[in-house]
Amino acid sequence: MSTPANAPGERYQLFRRAGSTRWQVRFSIKGQGQFKRSLDTDDEREAERRAEAIWYEATYRAKQGLTAKTHTFESVAEAYIAQILREVEREERRADQGKSEPAVIRRYFVGYFGDKPIDAITEADLE
């Protein structure tokens, strides 16, 4: 008897790492790579429920044209700051911009948006 394509075993895999009692999930989404997440539970039924929710959210995001992995505002801001510092080093920006801009970004923008997912920031948040 064959399993349907939507069977949980074909969408994702539940597993435990050696020496751990916590369940984890792994799955792949075409064009976005493999995902591994801890489910923070020892209970297999709860792990199955959480894995299902994580898998559905990631595939929904991918279908909407978003990255399946969420990125926080802080991680994106730090990548931008690193770019600013590289440009200062290559003398594509003024040296004072390497000091003032990262400070402003960290104090005001990261201080306000912080751990919020970058794609969850709305125009109302910006106003």
Side-chain angles (χ1 to χ4, degrees):
M1 179 175 187
S2 65
T3 58
N6 291 3
E10 295 199 13
R11 293 182 287 198
Y12 55 85
Q13 292 179 324
L14 289 178
F15 67 99
R16 291 184 190 170
R17 291 189 180 185
S20 176
T21 60
R22 300 284 183 169
W23 285 98
Q24 298 202 358
V25 64
R26 74 174 151 236
F27 57 91
S28 295
I29 296 179
K30 189 173 184 172
Q32 300 210 21
Q34 188 176 55
F35 298 81
K36 292 180 188 173
R37 293 243 336 245
S38 172
L39 300 172
D40 295 324
T41 185
D42 298 336
D43 181 35
E44 189 173 2
R45 285 183 186 222
E46 179 65 16
E48 184 73 34
R49 188 190 65 73
R50 290 180 185 182
E52 194 79 20
I54 290 167
W55 182 83
Y56 275 117
E57 180 184 356
T59 54
Y60 175 79
R61 290 176 58 80
K63 286 178 184 176
Q64 299 304 313
L66 303 170
T67 60
K69 292 182 182 176
T70 57
H71 300 280
T72 63
F73 181 87
E74 183 175 15
S75 68
V76 174
E78 288 300 326
Y80 180 62
I81 289 170
Q83 178 183 340
I84 290 171
L85 297 176
R86 283 192 305 271
E87 290 173 356
V88 167
E89 193 175 285
R90 292 189 305 246
E91 298 180 359
E92 295 172 358
R93 285 182 183 253
R94 296 187 323 265
D96 66 309
Q97 290 178 328
K99 294 178 183 170
S100 63
E101 290 185 15
V104 168
I105 292 168
R106 286 185 179 118
R107 180 168 185 182
Y108 297 106
F109 297 111
V110 174
Y112 184 76
F113 295 112
D115 289 337
K116 192 167 190 173
I118 193 76
D119 57 355
I121 296 172
T122 64
E123 287 186 35
D125 293 330
L126 296 175
E127 289 179 16

